[in-house]
Amino acid sequence: MRLLDAETALADAPPGHKDELRLWLRLLTCTNLIEAEIRRRLRAEFDTTLPRFDLLAQLERHPGGLTLGEISRRMMVSNGNVTGLAARLEEEGLVERRVSATDRRAQSLRLTAKGRREFARQSSAHEGWVAELLGGLSLPEREALQRLLGRAKASVRSGLQEVGA
Amino acid sequence: MRLLDAETALADAPPGHKDELRLWLRLLTCTNLIEAEIRRRLRAEFDTTLPRFDLLAQLERHPGGLTLGEISRRMMVSNGNVTGLAARLEEEGLVERRVSATDRRAQSLRLTAKGRREFARQSSAHEGWVAELLGGLSLPEREALQRLLGRAKASVRSGLQEVGA
DNA sequence: CCGGGATAGTTTAGGCTTCAACTATTTTCC
DNA sequence: GGAAAATAGTTGAAGCCTAAACTATCCCGG
């Protein structure tokens, strides 16, 4: 009986969502702080951008090449976005495109030798930056955070499902 | 949004990646998932964008008005960015500008009545969305996450200091 | 074989964002 | 008072990003 009352009371209570909102704002602040710093350093030290770096990272993980469509899905950005990004990277000589032998609509992208060299430098610096920025957390803290963020991710995904994407 | 898939891909990657990197990728994934959904809903339900919403939120918190420079600092974006944002919001009749009486360089922005009405609608929906998306976490989980993100923020800030901002 | 639907990619219009150069004004300080 | 430095804001060039319309190609069923 008590429990039922508590539940009812909770349902009737004014929407006290401030708590979740504060959590979201802190999550956002934290991510933006790190992301802005990484963008800044990519620019300052390698004269490149995060999207370019991300695209190269995809290709690095798939030495056999990826089609623009696959890249677009993996990076979760629009098709047209990848078109432009690929064009700039190609112009810089970091990637090369080859029309598919079996499907004349498709073309696959892969790193050039220069692209591989360049990404290797960037990637190793990037890893160091992240380690440096998050290095103030102890190992147990990092583990706990990793776990809780996993829980948050699951919560969000189930929130998206409900709406029936 | 960008590195969403990177976290998954990291599982396949050869070992030697620091766990800080994995933590960063999960943080990014989590934030981008939520942010993308909020942008989507702002667009679908209110035909607006996150930056516009954020600017209105700043003005809502400061009924006396804010100068463009103050807004730029609070939103942590460039001056020129705010110029354009403010111009669009003014054109939509949501904000109004007034040149400062004491400093002819400065102008302060404040919400119009329409802006206040509009933001009230958006804000209340927004709060509900966030609560819905993060609702899968228990209260203790949310508290722990809030605390750990605070620690992460502190770690990042001290990382920035070192470089001598 | 052929018509229609699906798929790969490009283009376009428009918004967001930065940096750097610029104008206008205020403040500092000699 | 007046020159120099600081500050408020705008502008322009360039990149990032999306949605929607478009072209080209492929594939499937009749």
Side-chain angles (χ1 to χ4, degrees):
Chain A
M1 186 126 61
R2 223 171 301 107
L3 226 125
L4 205 87
D5 282 351
E7 276 182 333
T8 310
L10 198 60
D12 289 344
H17 298 148
K18 296 297 185 200
D19 181 35
E20 286 92 341
L21 197 50
R22 273 190 321 130
L23 179 53
W24 163 234
L25 292 178
R26 180 161 289 182
L27 184 59
L28 191 54
T29 300
C30 207
T31 300
N32 285 344
L33 261 182
I34 299 175
E35 191 173 325
E37 182 63 12
I38 289 177
R39 284 181 194 272
R40 203 184 61 70
R41 295 188 189 188
L42 279 175
R43 181 177 209 285
E45 299 194 16
F46 299 107
D47 192 27
T48 189
T49 66
L50 195 46
R52 278 167 162 93
F53 176 79
D54 289 346
L55 200 160
L56 295 184
Q58 292 297 334
L59 294 184
E60 163 77 19
R61 281 199 283 274
H62 299 273
L66 288 172
T67 67
L68 297 195
E70 283 166 341
I71 293 171
S72 144
R73 277 187 294 277
R74 283 170 199 278
M75 293 177 68
M76 304 205 44
V77 300
S78 69
N79 246 338
N81 191 345
V82 175
T83 293
L85 226 33
R88 283 183 288 270
L89 288 171
E90 188 182 20
E91 188 171 357
E92 292 173 28
L94 301 178
V95 309
E96 59 190 3
R97 38 199 341 148
R98 214 161 15 112
V99 173
S100 160
T102 63
D103 184 342
R104 274 184 302 168
R105 291 168 306 176
Q107 46 192 283
S108 77
L109 239 57
R110 57 175 61 196
L111 291 177
T112 61
K114 180 182 174 189
R116 257 190 307 279
R117 267 199 314 277
E118 198 49 29
F119 179 72
R121 291 201 312 133
Q122 296 174 5
S123 171
S124 126
H126 175 265
E127 191 175 317
W129 298 337
V130 172
E132 173 193 339
L133 292 173
L134 292 177
L137 270 61
S138 68
L139 182 57
E141 281 175 330
R142 292 200 302 268
E143 285 170 349
L145 193 46
Q146 180 89 14
R147 191 186 66 77
L148 285 167
L149 288 171
R151 293 270 305 130
K153 202 164 83 174
S155 168
V156 173
R157 286 213 210 271
S158 84
L160 300 190
Q161 298 292 52
E162 276 169 26
V163 185
Chain B
M1 201 158 207
R2 222 158 308 89
L3 270 170
L4 266 183
D5 182 69
E7 186 181 339
T8 315
L10 198 62
D12 312 329
H17 281 297
K18 302 251 190 323
D19 69 343
E20 284 93 341
L21 193 50
R22 195 182 331 267
L23 178 54
W24 163 235
L25 293 176
R26 179 161 290 182
L27 183 60
L28 192 53
T29 299
C30 207
T31 300
N32 286 343
L33 261 182
I34 298 175
E35 191 173 325
E37 182 63 12
I38 288 177
R39 284 181 194 272
R40 203 184 61 71
R41 294 190 189 185
L42 279 175
R43 180 178 209 286
E45 299 194 17
F46 299 108
D47 190 27
T48 190
T49 66
L50 195 46
R52 277 168 163 93
F53 176 78
D54 287 346
L55 201 160
L56 295 185
Q58 291 297 334
L59 294 183
E60 163 76 18
R61 279 203 282 278
H62 299 273
L66 288 173
T67 67
L68 298 195
E70 284 166 341
I71 292 171
S72 144
R73 276 186 294 278
R74 284 170 201 279
M75 292 177 69
M76 301 205 294
V77 299
S78 70
N79 247 338
N81 192 346
V82 175
T83 294
L85 228 33
R88 284 183 288 271
L89 287 171
E90 188 181 21
E91 188 171 356
E92 291 172 29
L94 301 177
V95 309
E96 60 190 2
R97 41 204 331 154
R98 212 157 20 107
V99 173
S100 159
T102 63
D103 184 342
R104 275 185 301 169
R105 291 169 306 178
Q107 46 192 285
S108 78
L109 241 57
R110 56 176 61 195
L111 291 177
T112 61
K114 179 181 174 190
R116 257 189 307 279
R117 267 199 314 277
E118 196 51 26
F119 178 73
R121 291 203 310 135
Q122 296 174 5
S123 169
S124 127
H126 174 264
E127 191 174 318
W129 299 336
V130 172
E132 173 193 339
L133 292 173
L134 291 177
L137 271 60
S138 68
L139 181 58
E141 281 176 329
R142 292 200 303 268
E143 285 169 350
L145 193 46
Q146 180 91 16
R147 190 186 66 77
L148 285 167
L149 287 172
R151 292 271 305 130
K153 204 163 83 174
S155 168
V156 173
R157 285 212 210 272
S158 83
L160 299 190
Q161 296 292 52
E162 278 168 25
V163 185

